[in-house]
Coordinates of all heavy atoms in Angstrom, one line a residue:
K64 N -22.6 -48.7 -109.2 CA -21.8 -49.8 -109.7 C -20.6 -50.0 -108.8 O -20.3 -51.1 -108.5 CB -21.3 -49.5 -111.1 CG -22.3 -49.8 -112.2 CD -21.5 -50.0 -113.5 CE -21.8 -49.2 -114.6 NZ -21.1 -49.3 -115.8
L65 N -20.0 -48.9 -108.4 CA -18.8 -49.0 -107.5 C -19.2 -49.6 -106.2 O -18.5 -50.4 -105.6 CB -18.1 -47.7 -107.3 CG -17.4 -47.1 -108.5 CD1 -16.9 -45.7 -108.3 CD2 -16.2 -48.0 -108.9
E66 N -20.4 -49.2 -105.7 CA -20.8 -49.8 -104.4 C -21.1 -51.2 -104.5 O -20.8 -52.0 -103.5 CB -22.1 -49.0 -103.9 CG -21.8 -47.6 -103.4 CD -23.0 -46.9 -103.0 OE1 -24.2 -47.4 -103.3 OE2 -22.9 -45.8 -102.4
Q67 N -21.6 -51.7 -105.6 CA -21.8 -53.1 -105.8 C -20.5 -53.9 -105.8 O -20.4 -55.0 -105.3 CB -22.6 -53.4 -107.1 CG -24.1 -53.0 -107.0 CD -24.8 -53.3 -108.3 OE1 -24.2 -53.4 -109.4 NE2 -26.1 -53.4 -108.3
R68 N -19.5 -53.3 -106.5 CA -18.2 -54.0 -106.5 C -17.6 -54.0 -105.2 O -17.0 -55.1 -104.8 CB -17.3 -53.3 -107.5 CG -17.7 -53.5 -109.0 CD -16.6 -52.8 -109.9 NE -15.4 -53.5 -109.7 CZ -14.8 -54.2 -110.7 NH1 -15.4 -54.5 -111.8 NH2 -13.6 -54.8 -110.5
V69 N -17.7 -53.0 -104.4 CA -17.2 -53.0 -103.0 C -17.9 -54.0 -102.2 O -17.3 -54.7 -101.4 CB -17.3 -51.6 -102.4 CG1 -17.0 -51.6 -100.9 CG2 -16.3 -50.6 -103.1
Q70 N -19.2 -54.1 -102.4 CA -20.0 -55.1 -101.6 C -19.6 -56.5 -101.9 O -19.6 -57.3 -101.0 CB -21.5 -54.9 -102.0 CG -22.5 -55.7 -101.1 CD -22.4 -55.3 -99.6 OE1 -22.2 -54.2 -99.3 NE2 -22.7 -56.2 -98.8
Q71 N -19.2 -56.8 -103.1 CA -18.7 -58.1 -103.5 C -17.4 -58.4 -102.9 O -17.0 -59.6 -102.7 CB -18.6 -58.2 -105.0 CG -20.0 -58.3 -105.7 CD -19.9 -58.2 -107.2 OE1 -18.8 -58.0 -107.8 NE2 -21.0 -58.5 -107.9
L72 N -16.6 -57.4 -102.6 CA -15.3 -57.6 -102.0 C -15.3 -57.7 -100.4 O -14.4 -58.1 -99.8 CB -14.4 -56.4 -102.3 CG -13.9 -56.4 -103.8 CD1 -13.1 -55.1 -104.0 CD2 -13.0 -57.6 -104.1
K73 N -16.5 -57.4 -99.8 CA -16.5 -57.4 -98.4 C -16.5 -58.9 -97.9 O -16.9 -59.8 -98.6 CB -17.8 -56.7 -97.9 CG -17.7 -55.2 -98.0 CD -18.8 -54.6 -97.3 CE -18.5 -53.1 -97.4 NZ -19.5 -52.3 -96.6
D74 N -16.2 -59.0 -96.6 CA -16.1 -60.4 -96.0 C -17.5 -61.0 -96.0 O -18.5 -60.4 -95.8 CB -15.6 -60.3 -94.5 CG -14.2 -59.9 -94.5 OD1 -13.5 -60.1 -95.5 OD2 -13.8 -59.3 -93.4
G75 N -17.5 -62.3 -96.2 CA -18.8 -63.1 -96.1 C -19.4 -63.3 -97.5 O -20.0 -64.3 -97.8
T76 N -19.2 -62.3 -98.4 CA -19.8 -62.4 -99.7 C -18.7 -62.3 -100.8 O -19.0 -62.0 -101.9 CB -20.8 -61.2 -99.9 OG1 -20.1 -60.0 -99.8 CG2 -21.9 -61.2 -99.0
L77 N -17.5 -62.7 -100.4 CA -16.4 -62.6 -101.3 C -16.5 -63.7 -102.4 O -16.6 -64.8 -102.2 CB -15.1 -62.8 -100.6 CG -13.8 -62.4 -101.3 CD1 -13.9 -60.9 -101.6 CD2 -12.6 -62.7 -100.4
E78 N -16.6 -63.2 -103.6 CA -16.7 -64.1 -104.8 C -15.3 -64.4 -105.3 O -14.4 -63.6 -105.3 CB -17.5 -63.5 -105.9 CG -18.9 -63.3 -105.5 CD -19.8 -62.7 -106.7 OE1 -19.2 -62.6 -107.8 OE2 -20.9 -62.4 -106.4
K79 N -15.1 -65.7 -105.7 CA -13.8 -66.1 -106.2 C -13.3 -65.4 -107.4 O -12.2 -65.1 -107.6 CB -13.8 -67.6 -106.4 CG -13.9 -68.4 -105.1 CD -13.8 -69.9 -105.3 CE -13.9 -70.6 -104.0 NZ -13.8 -72.1 -104.2
D80 N -14.3 -65.2 -108.3 CA -13.9 -64.5 -109.6 C -13.4 -63.0 -109.3 O -12.5 -62.6 -109.8 CB -15.1 -64.4 -110.5 CG -15.5 -65.7 -111.1 OD1 -14.6 -66.6 -111.1 OD2 -16.7 -65.9 -111.5
M81 N -14.1 -62.4 -108.4 CA -13.7 -61.0 -108.0 C -12.4 -61.0 -107.3 O -11.5 -60.1 -107.6 CB -14.8 -60.3 -107.1 CG -14.5 -58.9 -106.8 SD -14.5 -57.8 -108.2 CE -16.2 -57.4 -108.3
L82 N -12.2 -61.9 -106.4 CA -10.9 -62.0 -105.7 C -9.8 -62.3 -106.7 O -8.7 -61.7 -106.7 CB -11.0 -63.1 -104.7 CG -9.7 -63.4 -103.9 CD1 -9.4 -62.1 -103.1 CD2 -9.9 -64.6 -103.0
E84 N -9.7 -61.6 -109.9 CA -9.5 -60.5 -110.8 C -8.7 -59.4 -110.1 O -7.7 -58.8 -110.6 CB -10.9 -59.9 -111.2 CG -10.8 -58.6 -112.0 CD -12.1 -58.0 -112.2 OE1 -13.2 -58.7 -112.1 OE2 -12.1 -56.8 -112.5

Side-chain angles (χ1 to χ4, degrees):
K64 276 201 238 177
L65 287 173
E66 285 177 352
Q67 284 179 342
R68 288 184 66 110
V69 168
Q70 188 64 29
Q71 290 174 350
L72 288 173
K73 287 193 176 185
D74 292 337
T76 61
L77 196 59
E78 294 183 8
K79 291 183 180 181
D80 291 340
M81 181 64 85
L82 178 64
E84 177 187 339

